[in-house]
Amino acid sequence: MNNKVVFITGATSGFGRATARRFAQAGWSLVLSGRRTDRLEELKKELAGQAAVHIATLDVRDADAVAAMVAALPAAFRPVRCLVNNAGLALAPIPAQKVVLKDWHTMIDTNVTGLVNVTHAVLPSLLETGAGASIVNLGSVAGSWPYPGGHVYGATKAFVQQFSYNLRCDLQGTGVRVTDIAPGMAETEFTLVRTGGDQAASDKLYRGTTPLTAEDIAEQIFYVATLPDHININRLEVMPTRQAWSAFAIDRD
Ligand code: NDP
Ligand code: 8X3
């Protein structure tokens, strides 16, 4: 493998940051993006001794900014071998009928439009790499399994799954692989964001159980991206052992 370049969105926290650390350990060069510049700079400093790091402050919702950032990648960070489409969020874990429309738009703009923006911009570079290149998309169990308060978040992750499968069809013959990784409950800043910064609510969700960690998912991302070129994991659903499904809810008189 000569061009070990990984491009990670949402590298400022959670899965994205842990994934940056995992690929750095293995000597990959890193393109790290997110909106919080201070965190990108901290991570670059932390990983400087291990890997070449290029950081770019980026909001994935801005298609022009995404295209410009990818076009301006320094030669040492091209072509990209692995794209980790990780930037995403859930908002408003309340009944659909109480949600403000802006929150639905933010989830669609980030998890759907943002992911599509980045994929479109990076795809030529992945095609240049060809055999062994990968797109790893962060879906969710919420994309397959409905639950109260999941409304648009789950729907965006269903999009991620189907977009991943459809990309596989079009990319057949190019060597570029596509995986939808669908984690269950994992302790990151995800619930803090989802609850509008309610640390107590976030702590309560994870207390008394054993959620996945960011490092658990980073390990899965690294695994699918470094399999032999002829293997494509289409979808990887990963839950904590202590999480499972529940019974149907019945409305009674
Ligand atoms: P975190 O909140 O810890 O991290 C989310 C990352 O996404 C941050 O780095 C954030 O960076 C970035 N991000 C959010 N909005 C934007 C944007 N508009 N432009 C660029 N970057 C953005 O959550 P997780 O690490 O848990 O989540 C990562 C992915 O995994 C998400 O897609 C999430 O839906 C998915 N997921 C999470 C699960 C969980 O239980 N934690 C389970 C299943 C899936 P910044 O704010 O600096 O822009
Ligand atoms: C996040 C995991 O279980 O909150 O995608 O939907 S869950």
Side-chain angles (χ1 to χ4, degrees):
M1 232 195 264
N2 44 16
N3 70 317
K4 295 198 297 182
V5 177
V6 62
F7 185 120
I8 304 171
T9 65
T12 56
S13 173
F15 300 163
R17 185 166 54 191
T19 301
R21 290 176 175 143
R22 182 63 187 88
F23 279 79
Q25 251 175 43
W28 286 57
S29 298
L30 313 172
V31 178
L32 306 178
S33 63
R35 291 167 302 174
R36 284 170 286 181
T37 310
D38 52 336
R39 291 210 183 181
L40 291 172
E41 283 167 352
E42 267 170 40
L43 193 55
K44 181 175 179 174
K45 205 179 290 176
E46 175 193 323
L47 300 176
Q50 278 178 286
V53 182
H54 175 76
I55 56 172
T57 306
L58 186 69
D59 186 328
V60 294
R61 294 172 294 182
D62 183 342
D64 291 341
V66 170
M69 179 266 182
V70 173
L73 276 182
F77 296 89
R78 281 186 275 153
V80 173
R81 188 177 191 88
C82 177
L83 165 62
V84 183
N85 269 322
N86 164 75
L89 81 176
L91 294 170
I94 53 177
Q97 55 274 31
K98 296 188 175 163
V99 178
V100 295
L101 183 59
K102 188 168 156 285
D103 285 345
W104 279 357
H105 284 168
T106 302
M107 288 188 275
I108 294 167
D109 292 347
T110 309
N111 303 354
V112 175
T113 308
L115 184 138
V116 161
N117 289 342
V118 177
T119 304
H120 192 268
V122 180
L123 201 43
S125 195
L126 294 161
L127 289 167
E128 195 183 322
T129 295
S134 333
I135 301 172
V136 183
N137 291 329
L138 266 296
S140 168
V141 294
S144 305
W145 313 105
Y147 58 76
H151 42 82
V152 162
Y153 177 67
T156 65
K157 294 304 185 178
F159 173 92
V160 172
Q161 177 180 318
Q162 199 61 21
F163 182 54
S164 303
Y165 290 175
N166 285 343
L167 276 175
R168 284 274 290 122
C169 296
D170 290 344
L171 294 175
Q172 191 181 17
T174 68
V176 181
R177 304 174 287 184
V178 188
T179 302
D180 169 41
I181 295 203
M185 178 194 265
E187 186 168 6
T188 60
E189 292 175 16
F190 177 82
T191 302
L192 200 58
V193 171
R194 190 176 213 175
T195 58
D198 187 341
Q199 187 66 57
S202 178
D203 292 346
K204 186 172 168 212
L205 180 69
Y206 303 120
R207 192 181 308 135
T209 188
T210 315
L212 298 170
T213 65
E215 290 70 29
D216 294 331
I217 296 305
E219 199 57 46
Q220 303 303 316
I221 293 169
F222 184 75
Y223 163 71
V224 302
T226 54
L227 282 165
D229 296 358
H230 67 287
I231 303 176
N232 191 115
I233 304 284
N234 298 329
R235 183 165 187 275
L236 190 55
E237 185 175 290
V238 190
M239 277 186 181
T241 308
R242 298 181 74 183
Q243 180 179 26
W245 306 274
S246 197
F248 286 118
I250 311 293
D251 178 35
R252 297 184 193 280
D253 293 331

